[in-house]
Amino acid sequence: MLEASAQPVMVPGWWRRWPAWSTYAAMAWSMIYGALALSWEAGAPGFPFGEGDPEGAAMGSVLFAVPAEPTGLVMAGWCAAGVIVAGAMRRPTSHRRRRRVLLAVAGCFAITMLLVIPDIRLLQNLAYGLLFVFVKLDGAVLNQGVIVLGGIFWIMTAISYRRKTAGTGTGRRESKVAANRLPVLMRWGKAATYAAFLLPLPYGITRLAWALGLPLGIDQDLSGDPLTARIGEVGLATLAIGGGTVTLGLIRPWGEIWARWVPFLAGQRVPVALPTILGGVAALAITVGGLAFVRLAIIGALGLAPEPAEPPAYTGWATWAPGWLWPFWGIALAVATIAYYHRRHDQGRPAAGPRLGRGAPC
């Protein structure tokens, strides 16, 4: 583990103030999306699920078969409940049961919006977007991005509310238990970083082999693939292998100080927010995509998936086996990113000196 630097770590003001505005962000999001859901219920165009999302079934969407009515009304009610819960979480309470209910509801909102509703297209668009390809971006995918943003607001709201109630009644005991878990997380940070480096390698290696014309793990002959397809495979392999390699920066000195070869930034401290945000976004997209991939595989194995409009271009173990590692890759990256954030954040705190008092040296 890297040694803490005595130099304080500076973070942007908005990053430090997120506990103050996250609850209002969750409330505003719920109001806006609830109004949008009511418009779908009333027959307005743009419903992003069911018939409004023809690719939903093939991409692992859990809402691929829902109608606009009454789904819009259900979503509006869900958002109305979110407004009420967010309003109740603006101020702490010493009532243990009420606090636990509010945290549980906020957690359900976050899990549903982050891990259940989105499908594999979020990961696809993140990967293709890094390659400057945006052909898969449409209204249904943009809607998923909006829902994920709301889920982020809700998880931030839950964390900030837990902090607000840490000094009240049983909140102190709950906060102490959470604080005792942090050293365990820190100890797992290094192992999680190495796991996040290794888990994407099977996907990257198979894609690199396909780019070279080697049918590793597939049944098709790749000798006739066009150059553009091979370049795309190289790009995806680079993202997987390169992304895993960059993850090692979470435990290496160049993850805290810009390397000498970085123009204009060499020798300066890496802002805590930069790796934290990038790692968090990547971990979320990888986990969501991985869960959607596993969900698709299970539905297909049970014979519940609809017949695809076109047969798959490739068949073989390499088309599905690396995808089963994606949920573990996303979780490992999330743990590594959280451990990095806490380590860097603690570097900015002054060391606690001895308290003056009876028996203390003056």
Side-chain angles (χ1 to χ4, degrees):
M1 191 64 67
L2 298 173
E3 295 181 359
S5 172
Q7 181 181 357
V9 179
M10 302 302 294
V11 295
W14 66 269
W15 180 263
R16 295 194 301 267
R17 291 192 298 269
W18 68 264
W21 55 257
S22 57
T23 303
Y24 295 96
M27 185 184 299
W29 185 95
S30 299
M31 290 180 179
I32 296 171
Y33 201 87
L36 191 61
L38 279 179
S39 71
W40 294 330
E41 173 69 20
F47 183 64
F49 305 107
E51 294 183 356
D53 183 19
E55 294 188 358
M59 294 296 170
S61 172
V62 296
L63 301 177
F64 71 90
V66 297
E69 301 176 13
T71 305
L73 186 60
V74 173
M75 287 185 169
W78 171 47
C79 291
V83 173
I84 296 173
V85 172
M89 297 178 77
R90 289 182 301 167
R91 295 181 179 85
T93 176
S94 58
H95 197 283
R96 180 179 63 180
R97 184 171 298 177
R98 183 183 306 168
R99 181 173 60 250
R100 289 183 174 177
V101 168
L102 291 174
L103 285 172
V105 173
C108 288
F109 284 159
I111 291 173
T112 301
M113 298 162 71
L114 291 176
L115 300 180
V116 178
I117 295 179
D119 57 45
I120 200 170
R121 282 172 289 184
L122 279 184
L123 179 60
Q124 285 182 338
N125 278 274
L126 177 62
Y128 285 114
L130 293 174
L131 298 176
F132 302 100
V133 178
F134 304 99
V135 294
K136 292 184 176 292
L137 194 61
D138 55 17
V141 174
L142 291 175
N143 174 72
Q144 291 186 27
V146 171
I147 291 176
V148 167
L149 179 63
I152 292 173
F153 288 154
W154 273 109
I155 198 167
M156 293 167 67
T157 297
I159 294 173
S160 65
Y161 184 75
R162 187 181 182 91
R163 290 183 178 181
K164 291 176 186 177
T165 59
T168 59
T170 56
R172 286 193 294 267
R173 293 195 295 270
E174 295 170 358
S175 179
K176 188 175 181 180
V177 171
N180 291 335
R181 292 174 182 166
L182 185 57
V184 177
L185 176 65
M186 299 291 287
R187 287 197 298 269
W188 279 98
K190 192 171 184 178
T193 303
Y194 284 121
F197 163 68
L198 294 173
L199 287 170
L201 290 182
Y203 176 83
I205 291 172
T206 54
R207 292 286 178 166
L208 190 59
W210 298 355
L212 296 175
L214 303 175
L216 177 61
I218 57 175
D219 305 322
Q220 286 72 26
D221 181 14
L222 301 176
S223 59
D225 279 7
L227 179 61
T228 53
R230 299 198 178 197
I231 292 176
E233 301 295 356
V234 170
L236 294 174
T238 301
L239 288 178
I241 299 174
T245 303
V246 170
T247 304
L248 295 176
L250 298 176
I251 57 172
R252 301 299 300 165
W254 48 271
E256 298 189 13
I257 304 294
W258 291 108
R260 289 177 295 177
W261 50 265
V262 179
F264 309 111
L265 297 174
Q268 299 183 32
R269 296 186 67 82
V270 176
V272 181
L274 181 61
T276 303
I277 293 176
L278 293 180
V281 170
L284 177 60
I286 293 167
T287 304
V288 169
L291 291 175
F293 183 89
V294 172
R295 187 163 61 231
L296 270 174
I298 294 175
I299 291 175
L302 295 177
L304 302 177
E307 289 294 330
E310 298 180 359
Y314 299 137
T315 56
W317 66 262
T319 62
W320 56 266
W324 284 84
L325 300 176
W326 291 351
F328 303 101
W329 175 17
I331 293 171
L333 180 56
V335 173
T337 302
I338 294 171
Y340 171 88
Y341 169 78
H342 281 288
R343 189 185 75 246
R344 292 289 308 278
H345 187 265
D346 291 343
Q347 289 177 7
R349 295 179 179 176
R355 293 182 296 176
L356 296 181
R358 183 177 300 177
C362 297

